[in-house]
Amino acid sequence: MDLGTYLHDKKIIIENTLKEICASFISTPGVLRDAMEYTLFSNGKRVRPVLAIAACEAKGKSSDDILPCACALEMIHTYSLIHDDLPCVDNDDLRRGKPTCHKVFGEALAIMAGDGLLTEAFRIITDTRYTERLSPKIIKQVIFEIASAAGAEGMVGGQVMDILYDGKEGSKNILQYIHMHKTATLIRASVRIGAIAGAAKAKELKNFTKYGECIGLAFQIMDDILDTEGDEEIVGKRLKKDANKQTYIKHYGILASKYKLEQLVNEAIQSVDFLGEDARILKAIAQYIGSRVS
Ligand code: GRG
């Protein structure tokens, strides 16, 4: 199966499960549910859940094993986008090709839609009706991985440094911290939870982790490149907004950034060589991340 078909098929099962999850928000006020679903069902690429599934499948397990946890990742990622777009943060009016959540529902509801998605994500992982295929031990590990990657030690910490260093000179170390924490840790965690659900052994998990870290960093470098050279219509968000931010382009220039991106993709591909033929999809995803246009 080629990567295009794989991504298309997985996107369908992820979105169907997300719909099932949203149908469980029975006593949620209608307007809150609308605000949560509005951004959740815009045209996201679903990279993080696909990675969790691909890592799990690479270890020979069914996508069903990790699917609800993969959807929880997408809910957390979507919360981060909603909050990132707020007037007090990046003040963006376009996301996933549509007006941002706060533009449609107002700031208060956008904040709460984000809060709702973040918190419900952890309910899904701990609700055995969804995750009955996983042992309590694995569920606990998955929660630890996701909470560490999304919290103050991960994505939120990275986002705070991104805000603090907006318009400041910064340094390559600060840039590395921001990119690793703001973007790469959640991507790395996506790969790791798939591998953990696939019963990866310690040495294998180390290689999956390297893969996740490399593509996570590559993903953010590509985000920086797209902000400079991308097509707003295709990317689905406002571009050329990061001129004052700590970006690879600012610290290394466009050519060196593209070179670094290529190196990271190659490193990611090598990291999963140990899987043999079962690494095919993970390798194709790494290549896609290095050449994506949206
Ligand atoms: C500080 C108020 C406050 C909120 C924090 C934690 C957080 C909100 C934001 C996280 C930082 C963030 C949004 C990082 C950007 C990561 C990134 C490259 C997002 C774009 O992801 P894609 O391209 O988007 O996968 P789609 O729409 O395809 O899912």
Side-chain angles (χ1 to χ4, degrees):
M1 187 192 292
D2 67 285
L3 184 68
T5 313
Y6 183 87
L7 293 178
H8 174 263
D9 291 356
K10 296 305 176 201
K11 211 170 157 176
I12 291 174
I13 62 162
I14 289 161
E15 289 176 0
N16 285 341
T17 308
L18 285 170
K19 280 182 197 144
E20 246 178 70
I21 289 169
C22 288
S24 73
F25 300 152
I26 294 165
S27 60
T28 305
V31 68
L32 175 59
R33 183 170 157 177
D34 289 348
M36 288 158 74
E37 290 183 353
Y38 173 78
T39 315
L40 197 54
F41 294 109
S42 333
N43 194 22
K45 294 183 290 295
R46 316 303 189 195
V47 165
R48 294 149 191 84
V50 165
L51 279 168
I53 291 170
C56 187
E57 288 182 337
K59 281 294 298 157
K61 294 282 165 76
S62 159
S63 62
D64 292 344
D65 291 5
I66 196 66
L67 186 55
C69 300
C71 289
L73 279 170
E74 185 65 17
M75 291 164 76
I76 292 171
H77 166 60
T78 305
Y79 122 75
S80 82
L81 300 180
I82 294 173
H83 282 194
D84 188 52
D85 291 336
L86 286 169
C88 60
V89 189
D90 276 0
N91 194 19
D92 268 309
D93 59 2
L94 191 70
R95 170 68 70 179
R96 293 177 163 175
K98 294 203 306 193
T100 44
C101 190
H102 68 270
K103 283 281 166 193
V104 178
F105 295 93
E107 272 182 65
L109 262 162
I111 290 171
M112 284 178 268
D115 295 342
L117 285 166
L118 171 61
T119 315
E120 290 295 334
F122 287 100
R123 175 178 69 86
I124 299 306
I125 303 172
T126 51
D127 186 336
T128 45
R129 281 174 302 174
Y130 291 102
T131 47
E132 62 186 355
R133 298 173 70 101
L134 299 177
S135 71
K137 186 175 169 221
I138 299 251
I139 290 174
K140 194 173 153 206
Q141 273 178 281
V142 166
I143 294 171
F144 177 78
E145 290 292 332
I146 299 183
S148 317
E153 287 283 309
M155 181 174 70
V156 175
Q159 176 74 351
V160 167
M161 291 296 273
D162 189 48
I163 293 169
L164 287 180
Y165 277 88
D166 191 1
K168 304 262 165 48
E169 198 172 325
S171 67
K172 289 186 168 77
N173 280 346
I174 296 289
L175 169 77
Q176 187 71 8
Y177 179 93
I178 292 172
H179 280 35
M180 263 313 296
H181 289 76
K182 182 177 82 162
T183 305
T185 54
L186 195 62
I187 291 181
R188 184 179 62 191
S190 308
V191 175
R192 277 178 61 89
I193 66 161
I196 288 168
K201 296 189 183 70
K203 198 165 170 226
E204 293 176 323
L205 192 56
K206 216 171 147 196
N207 290 324
F208 275 110
T209 305
K210 181 78 187 158
Y211 168 87
E213 204 165 294
C214 289
I215 58 163
L217 212 46
F219 194 89
Q220 184 56 51
I221 296 175
M222 186 49 117
D223 210 65
D224 292 350
I225 294 171
L226 288 174
D227 185 72
T228 311
E229 296 190 331
D231 179 331
E232 210 163 86
E233 191 98 342
I234 301 172
V235 180
K237 64 178 182 181
R238 299 267 174 251
L239 299 178
K240 304 195 171 42
K241 287 203 71 194
D242 294 345
N244 296 321
K245 294 220 168 168
Q246 306 299 316
T247 65
Y248 257 75
I249 318 303
K250 176 182 163 167
H251 286 280
Y252 295 94
I254 194 89
L255 276 180
S257 299
K258 285 182 180 172
Y259 181 65
K260 179 76 185 162
L261 172 70
E262 202 183 306
Q263 274 184 320
L264 285 165
V265 168
N266 289 338
E267 224 180 309
I269 288 173
Q270 280 166 20
S271 308
V272 287
D273 266 344
F274 75 98
L275 287 163
E277 178 54 24
D278 294 332
R280 202 175 56 77
I281 291 292
L282 289 172
K283 288 184 177 182
I285 294 175
Q287 255 149 1
Y288 154 76
I289 285 173
S291 60
R292 71 191 176 98
V293 291
S294 72

